[in-house]
Amino acid sequence: MRLFSSISRQNLLINRLNPVRILLRRDYSAASVAHLAPHIQEYILEKAALCQPDDIYVCDGSDAEKEKIIQTLLKEKLIKPIPKLENCYLAKTDPKDVARVESKTVISTENERETIPIPAEGVEGKLGKWMAPGDLQAAIQERFPGCMKGRTMYVIPFSMGPIGGSISKYGIELTDSPYVVASMGIMTRVNESVLEEIGSGEFVKCLHSVGCPLPLQRELTNNWPCNPENVLVTHIPKDREIISFGSGYGGNSLLGKKCFALRIGSTIARDEGWLAEHMLILGITNPQGEKKYIAAAFPSACGKTNLAMMAPTIPGWKVECVGDDIAWMKFDNNGKLRAINPENGFFGVAPGTSEHTNPNAMTCMEKNTVYTNVAETSDGNIWWEGIGHDPTGDVTDWKNQPWTKDSGTPAAHPNSRFCAPAGQCPTIDPQWESAEGVPIEAIVFGGRRPEGVPLVYEANSWEHGVFLGAAMRSEATAAAEFKGKAIMNDPFAMRPFFGYNFGHYLQHWLDVNQDGRQMPKIFNVNWFRKNENGFIWPGFGENSRVLEWIIRRCGGEDIAQESIIGKIPKNGSLNMEGCDGVDLDACFELSSDFWKQEAAEVRQYLEEQVGEDCPAEIYAQCDELAKRASQ
Ligand code: OXD
Ligand code: MN
């Protein structure tokens, strides 16, 4: 960590007038600032002048620095060690700061239509929120002046993707939260060398403040600084800039993740002709040793991490993990789609993760992990619902209250998380840091659909596949502020993460299908169909049977038959050896009434939400589905 210096108010004022010169006039050793390009200095000092921190530290990403940050967090009682786990810590947040806040997340462009399609009259738009540039400036001025008083501004140079990789991009996050520094150090590649890589080139500007200047103006809960009444997470695509205020949690504050890798990332991807998607990436190897890679999009909390790290139950097959949340995908010069996971860690939902559902995640988070809002036990361990065993010792819940099974509330918050280094996953793919990315054979969409949607089907064409992404729906998630189990449209699992108008996004997906490119096959899966006894399909490791079928289809095997919705497995083609008692007929039952209604509801959604911005091809695909279901 490099100490820049204490900045006096006066200097900050002067800095506003001539930031670069003033910085260089200060008493630094030439070597310590020589590597900072003028435009980086200018960015840092402009924001420092606004936020008025006491100090500025430039992070170098070293182990010594990590240790220092942990010590700071311990001193501030923001985290506590978990005695049973090596170098693991537990943070508990203010209960008002527990998830992404979609209602306070905006994109700012000159024209509203660049950001969101205009919904039909009287309909609330659900595909993102727009803010006029003038209103954004006003909102910033209401929140940021002096917001870091008494605190340190940390400068985090980070890379999304391997440093130097052809698909990678760089960012600099300025934050007053050491918790964010610790978490970004796991989730991204934080390294001084990023500053050199940026050189005089572009970087994504990320400003974050918890909005709690010192001395405190409100009492903290759990020592967790935040400003829930004034949360605002903003994106300015034309400037490649993110400005986030008031929340210390996850996607609101670890700006490399949803804000950069998806919202700003999708606009960069559109401009540069590639795809930035809410997708896991996995490698699957058959008993003959042939390996293929798949990217898969599921809405938040639908088991992406479990699928990415799955232990296959079919003998001889191996699944390895490249990433569990985000894929950046670019066609190479040979027309092959190649993907990287831009992240460096997993920010996984803890509840439901167990030795049964995800043994690899359990191993991955045994050390060097920051847990947030899980419960703790009196014998020095952590616990959550669905961890697969009873708690050992007395439990203190995520709100710091004594907890028993009769408490009537969950011990761990449903959106509690583990933040663990990806390299610790026992099944991390040997190619996971490949600079040029791994070749993608198949793209898979899915969601939580208790009714009507079969276990797996294949799109008839690229255009049909794009329609499947557009038509995605799923039960609501705890990862955002929604309650209950309503079925929500979540196209491409990107509804909270589009960086620009979804109609234009669909056109971009249609446009990447070009002559000379090897377009991946597209599939839809549903592990979550239910009957009166619960889930029909056992899920988890058994999902490898579905992946096997997908991979065999990619190899051109004649194991699919036409249906009203696309290609489904021919009878007997799904490998069910060793998996008894599954009602496969129920998994694949197709009701034309269900699909007629589904097509009608999807059309209504597209008409109301996307209107004339929705490409005609997508409406045509929807009409085709309705026609096939009516025959
Ligand atoms: C996540 C999410 O945290 O999608 O990954 O909400
Ligand atoms: Mn996600």
Side-chain angles (χ1 to χ4, degrees), residues 180-191:
V180 167
V181 180
S183 307
M184 284 290 285
I186 296 171
M187 294 306 299
T188 71
R189 293 163 177 90
V190 175
N191 201 295

Side-chain angles (χ1 to χ4, degrees), residues 160-309:
M160 299 309 290
I163 297 172
S166 56
I167 311 182
S168 302
K169 299 272 174 205
Y170 305 121
I172 295 180
E173 178 162 350
L174 312 178
T175 179
D176 53 6
S177 163
Y179 168 87
V180 167
V181 180
S183 307
M184 284 290 285
I186 296 171
M187 294 306 299
T188 71
R189 293 163 177 90
V190 175
N191 201 295
E192 234 181 348
S193 67
V194 167
L195 294 164
E196 280 145 42
E197 291 285 334
I198 293 172
S200 57
E202 194 179 69
F203 64 96
V204 174
K205 304 181 195 104
C206 309
L207 172 64
H208 167 255
S209 172
V210 290
C212 272
L214 298 173
L216 288 172
Q217 288 147 21
R218 62 191 278 275
E219 211 179 307
L220 299 186
T221 306
N222 288 334
N223 302 313
W224 179 264
C226 61
N227 191 336
E229 288 74 34
N230 291 304
V231 167
L232 191 62
V233 183
T234 75
H235 308 72
I236 311 156
K238 84 169 170 20
D239 297 336
R240 310 288 192 233
E241 184 162 9
I242 299 157
I243 300 178
S244 171
F245 186 89
S247 166
Y249 204 82
N252 303 326
S253 68
L254 313 181
L255 300 186
K257 195 172 180 60
K258 305 300 186 181
C259 298
F260 178 166
L262 290 178
R263 297 195 193 95
I264 294 293
S266 62
T267 63
I268 300 176
R270 173 204 53 194
D271 295 349
E272 297 181 355
W274 50 279
L275 301 166
E277 301 299 330
H278 192 201
M279 291 183 181
L280 65 89
I281 308 164
L282 61 80
I284 177 160
T285 309
N286 70 13
Q288 292 72 47
E290 289 153 0
K291 184 163 195 176
K292 301 265 189 276
Y293 289 93
I294 293 176
F298 299 86
S300 307
C302 272
K304 281 216 300 293
T305 306
N306 292 346
L307 185 64
M309 296 182 194

